[in-house]
């Protein structure tokens, strides 16, 4: 059995359904069965015990029920006590290993986040957190070699995990909001939620409404694996525009949007202004600072210079690291081990992991923090001083080489050397991913970052400028340098420069 192709960083992802898209199914129920058994064997070795309890849940994807049954069958065959949680969120599945009511040894979530409807995947957890890339490779190796541990026994029980998880979130809000209405602390607050037909609709019915919040105007709360309304992705322009419209039409105080499995979220303020990417990082940082006065925030590599300036003005240290939410989280954990209070790890994509929440990237926990603040203050006022670049652009250049990673890495090293010798370009150091360079006022007045994609044969390039047409000026300068590499497809860059 060949399963390595299903690994996507710290996740398993593949095409699970033939929806007439021309894409061939490469993630089957047999694969899910084998990977579940591989995880059980891995967990037994880690915990040094035979008796295991593993929670299993899924998001709203059409392939979810069949794959969940395959996972359950695989675990049962190897003598695992299975707790089926049905429609769940990814963060809740991790909490199944924490909550006393469940106390699972591990958990498996069937999800492919915001990917198209024909996709699905798996995420694995134990009490120490989510499995990282190296641990996923270990699970895959066990499954491919069929080094399973078949034991007799095993059972299946159903458990309403989302009921317990929602109560957990309600308790956080009730404890922090002092509104004079102890039973209904959110009375008078109007929140519109967009769940994108994923698993996030519970936040309205089980968290906000029981606490007295008004939720009229909330949309796409019903689970539907066809995702008929928009891509369930807070980074998607169409999805965010839909929430902005809903907030304005409802005259709401706040809007919240989730991705499919609710490990990411973003917001919209009462004026209909989206709060995502650098704005979301700024807001989350200020919320984390309330309990961590000497706060360090770890972000991915594409955050703006303006964000760094804003955080430093607020007395917050900014550590710009690498793309990949697990990279950001693991760096924050490492800093904490060294005595640095890195209490927030957050990507521009919306993955936000608080130290006070097990370093779990949990969109509902972030939304809860935002709701608590919005109950007494204007969230837009908190980040009013955050400046934004005049222009920003992302380009993705394809590398037409079999050894694309080696080729791209060499291009990046060559660019670093070019920058060191330039009169108008400054190499940003320290820098932990790719090559980040600053351009002087006469050559674009901004910065760009060129890095290797985590999983694809691409060189993503992020550009920000404070001059009109400055992004194009920098792109032209970079284009001249990159023209010497015949295996790079510069079409996208040429279109941007010439339009």
């Amino acid at each position: 059995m060949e399963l390595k192709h299903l690994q996507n960083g710290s996740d398993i992802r593949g095409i699970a359904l033939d929806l007439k898209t021309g894409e061939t199914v490469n993630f089957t129920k047999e694969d899910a069965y084998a990977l579940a058994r591989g995880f059980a064997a891995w967990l037994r070795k880690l915990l040094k015990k035979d008796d295991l309890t593993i929670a299993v849940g899924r998001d709203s994807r059409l392939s979810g029920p069949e794959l969940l049954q395959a996972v359950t069958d695989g675990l049962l065959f190897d003598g695992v006590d299975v707790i089926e949680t049905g429609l769940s969120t990814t963060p809740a599945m991790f909490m199944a290993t924490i909550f006393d009511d469940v106390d699972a040894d591990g958990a498996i979530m069937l999800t492919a986040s915001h990917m198209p409807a024909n996709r699905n995947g798996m995420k694995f957890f134990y009490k120490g957190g989510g499995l990282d890339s190296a641990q996923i490779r270990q699970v895959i190796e066990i499954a491919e070699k069929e080094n399973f541990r078949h034991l007799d026994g095993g059972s299946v029980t159903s458990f309403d995990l989302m009921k317990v998880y929602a109560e957990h979130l309600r308790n956080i809000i009730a404890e922090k909001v002092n509104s004079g209405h102890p039973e209904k602390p959110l009375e008078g607050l109007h929140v519109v939620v967009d769940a994108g037909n994923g698993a996030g609709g519970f936040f309205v019915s089980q968290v906000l409404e029981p606490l007295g919040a008004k939720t009229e105007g909330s949309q796409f709360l019903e689970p539907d694996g066809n995702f008929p309304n928009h891509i369930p992705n807070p980074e998607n322009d169409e999805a965010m525009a839909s929430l902005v419209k809903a907030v304005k039409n409802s005259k709401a105080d706040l809007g919240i949007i989730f991705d499919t499995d609710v490990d990411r979220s973003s917001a919209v303020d009462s004026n209909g202004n989206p709060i995502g990417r650098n704005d979301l990082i700024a807001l989350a940082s200020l919320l984390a600072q309330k309990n961590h006065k000497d706060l360090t925030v770890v972000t991915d590599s594409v955050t703006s210079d303006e964000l760094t300036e804003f955080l430093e003005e607020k007395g917050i240290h900014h550590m710009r690291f690498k793309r990949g939410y697990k990279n950001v989280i693991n760096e924050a954990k490492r800093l904490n081990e060294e005595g640095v209070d890195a209490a927030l790890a957050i990507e521009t994509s919306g993955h936000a992991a608080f130290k006070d929440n097990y370093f779990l990237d949990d969109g509902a926990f972030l939304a809860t923090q935002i709701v608590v603040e919005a109950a007494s203050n204007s969230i837009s006022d908190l980040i009013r001083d955050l400046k934004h670049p005049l222009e920003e652009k992302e380009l993705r250049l394809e590398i037409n080489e079999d050894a694309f990673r080696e080729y791209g890495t060499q291009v990046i090293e060559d660019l670093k050397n070019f920058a060191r010798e330039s009169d108008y370009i400054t190499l940003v150091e320290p820098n932990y991913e790719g090559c980040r360079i600053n351009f002087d006022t006469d050559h674009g007045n901004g910065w760009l970052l060129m890095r290797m994609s985590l999983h694809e044969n691409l060189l993503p390039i992020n550009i920000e400028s404070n001059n009109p047409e400055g992004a194009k000026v920098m792109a032209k300068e970079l284009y001249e340098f990159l023209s010497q590499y015949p295996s790079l497809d510069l079409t996208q860059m040429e279109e941007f420069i010439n339009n």
Side-chain angles (χ1 to χ4, degrees):
M1 179 173 284
E2 174 62 49
L3 298 171
K4 290 184 179 67
H5 67 281
L6 294 173
Q7 181 170 6
N8 186 286
S10 56
D11 298 350
I12 295 293
R13 285 186 185 171
I15 301 164
L17 283 180
D18 180 5
L19 296 182
K20 310 304 180 184
T21 62
E23 298 175 294
T24 303
V25 171
N26 66 354
F27 178 43
T28 66
K29 60 184 180 181
E30 289 79 14
D31 296 333
Y33 179 91
L35 288 164
R37 296 184 69 191
F39 176 59
W42 179 90
L43 193 58
R44 280 189 168 120
K45 182 177 180 181
L46 176 75
L47 301 181
K48 296 181 173 61
K49 70 174 190 176
D50 288 337
D51 293 337
L52 288 184
T53 299
I54 296 179
V56 181
R58 62 176 179 83
D59 68 13
S60 60
R61 292 177 177 276
L62 300 173
S63 56
E66 181 179 61
L67 292 174
L68 185 141
Q69 185 61 57
V71 166
T72 299
D73 289 344
L75 296 176
L76 269 179
F77 186 73
D78 285 345
V80 175
D81 291 324
V82 180
I83 301 174
E84 284 196 353
T85 64
L87 184 72
S88 306
T89 69
T90 292
M93 293 311 299
F94 166 73
M95 294 301 291
T97 71
I98 302 297
F99 291 142
D100 291 338
D101 292 353
V102 193
D103 194 28
D105 297 301
I108 300 175
M109 176 67 177
L110 289 157
T111 181
S113 188
H114 62 281
M115 300 297 287
N118 64 341
R119 306 296 210 278
N120 214 326
M122 301 169 75
K123 294 183 179 182
F124 302 93
F125 300 95
Y126 69 111
K127 292 181 185 295
L131 272 62
D132 60 24
S133 296
Q135 292 166 328
I136 294 293
R137 286 195 294 273
Q138 292 168 4
V139 170
I140 289 174
E141 184 176 357
I142 292 170
E144 287 183 337
K145 294 182 178 179
E146 299 186 357
N147 289 334
F148 305 127
R149 291 202 60 202
H150 170 64
L151 298 175
D152 293 328
S155 63
V156 180
T157 57
S158 297
F159 184 79
D160 191 349
L161 176 63
M162 294 311 296
K163 179 181 178 181
V164 177
Y165 179 67
E167 181 183 9
H168 163 68
L169 297 180
R170 290 199 307 271
N171 289 340
I172 293 172
I173 295 173
E175 180 182 338
K176 292 186 176 182
V177 176
N178 184 16
S179 65
H181 303 281
E183 298 299 320
K184 301 287 184 180
L186 296 182
E187 196 165 66
L189 183 68
H190 187 176
V191 184
V192 167
V193 173
D194 185 325
N197 300 114
F202 83 98
F203 199 73
V204 170
S205 60
Q206 297 187 59
V207 179
L208 295 176
E209 290 178 348
L211 295 177
K214 181 180 179 182
T215 61
E216 283 82 355
S218 293
Q219 56 189 19
F220 317 138
L221 305 181
E222 292 300 317
D224 186 341
N226 292 296
F227 307 124
N229 294 291
H230 60 65
I231 296 172
N233 181 4
E235 280 197 294
N236 179 263
D237 290 341
E238 180 187 356
M240 186 59 82
S242 181
L243 177 60
V244 167
K245 182 179 179 181
V247 168
K248 288 182 176 179
N249 289 345
S250 303
K251 297 181 172 57
D253 302 306
L254 175 68
I256 296 291
I257 185 169
F258 296 117
D259 71 345
T260 319
D261 61 328
V262 198
D263 60 1
R264 292 187 296 137
S265 63
S266 290
V268 170
D269 70 15
S270 58
N271 297 314
N273 298 313
I275 299 178
R277 298 184 66 80
N278 289 295
D279 293 318
L280 186 67
I281 294 173
L283 176 60
S285 299
L286 293 177
L287 299 180
Q289 190 185 35
K290 291 177 180 290
N291 296 322
H292 301 271
K293 299 307 178 185
D294 191 26
L295 173 67
T296 293
V297 175
V298 182
T299 73
D300 58 351
S301 59
V302 299
T303 50
S304 69
D305 291 341
E306 289 82 1
L307 174 67
T308 302
E309 293 169 5
F310 174 85
L311 294 177
E312 290 177 348
E313 288 173 358
K314 302 295 183 181
I316 299 171
H317 311 290
H318 181 198
M319 168 69 172
R320 185 186 287 124
F321 196 54
K322 300 177 181 179
R323 293 283 278 180
Y325 70 94
K326 287 295 290 185
N327 289 330
V328 175
I329 291 171
N330 288 340
E331 178 64 11
K333 289 180 176 180
R334 186 190 69 80
L335 288 172
N336 275 278
E337 290 173 357
E338 294 184 353
V340 177
D341 192 11
L344 175 63
I346 180 169
E347 264 202 319
T348 49
S349 64
H351 283 283
F354 290 81
K355 180 180 179 180
D356 298 338
N357 189 45
Y358 307 96
F359 274 120
L360 173 65
D361 51 317
D362 184 345
F365 183 86
L366 174 59
T368 295
Q369 305 304 303
I370 294 173
V371 167
V372 167
E373 187 66 25
S376 56
N377 298 300
S378 166
I379 58 173
S380 52
D381 284 348
L382 288 178
I383 57 174
R384 190 178 301 279
D385 297 335
L386 175 62
K387 298 175 183 176
H388 298 87
L390 188 64
E391 293 184 343
E392 54 184 301
K393 181 67 177 178
E394 181 176 83
L395 302 168
R396 298 170 70 81
L397 309 183
E398 186 172 345
I399 305 171
N400 297 309
E401 286 281 343
D402 290 336
F404 64 86
R405 190 161 299 280
E406 292 81 358
Y407 192 90
T409 299
Q410 187 60 57
V411 173
I412 290 170
E413 289 303 312
D414 292 348
L415 180 59
K416 289 179 181 178
N417 293 329
F418 175 77
R420 290 188 180 102
E421 299 174 359
S422 174
D423 295 329
Y424 57 89
I425 298 174
T426 304
L427 182 66
V428 177
E429 295 181 303
N431 179 62
Y432 300 95
E433 182 172 44
C435 176
R436 188 176 179 119
I437 51 181
N438 291 335
F439 289 74
D440 68 17
T441 305
D442 295 330
H443 296 84
N445 192 24
W447 61 270
L448 68 78
L449 173 74
M450 184 169 70
R451 60 183 178 85
M452 273 301 306
S453 170
L454 293 176
H455 310 298
E456 300 176 275
N457 60 325
L458 297 173
L459 280 175
I461 300 170
N462 292 86
I463 308 175
E464 291 189 1
S465 172
N466 285 306
N467 283 358
E469 299 291 304
K472 285 189 177 182
V473 171
M474 288 187 284
K476 288 179 183 177
E477 297 286 346
L478 183 62
Y479 179 82
E480 292 183 9
F481 169 79
L482 295 179
S483 296
Q484 64 184 300
Y485 298 96
S487 295
L488 291 183
D489 184 351
L490 302 180
T491 304
Q492 195 177 108
M493 181 173 277
E494 292 166 352
E495 291 174 350
F496 171 61
I497 292 170
N498 295 325
N499 288 340

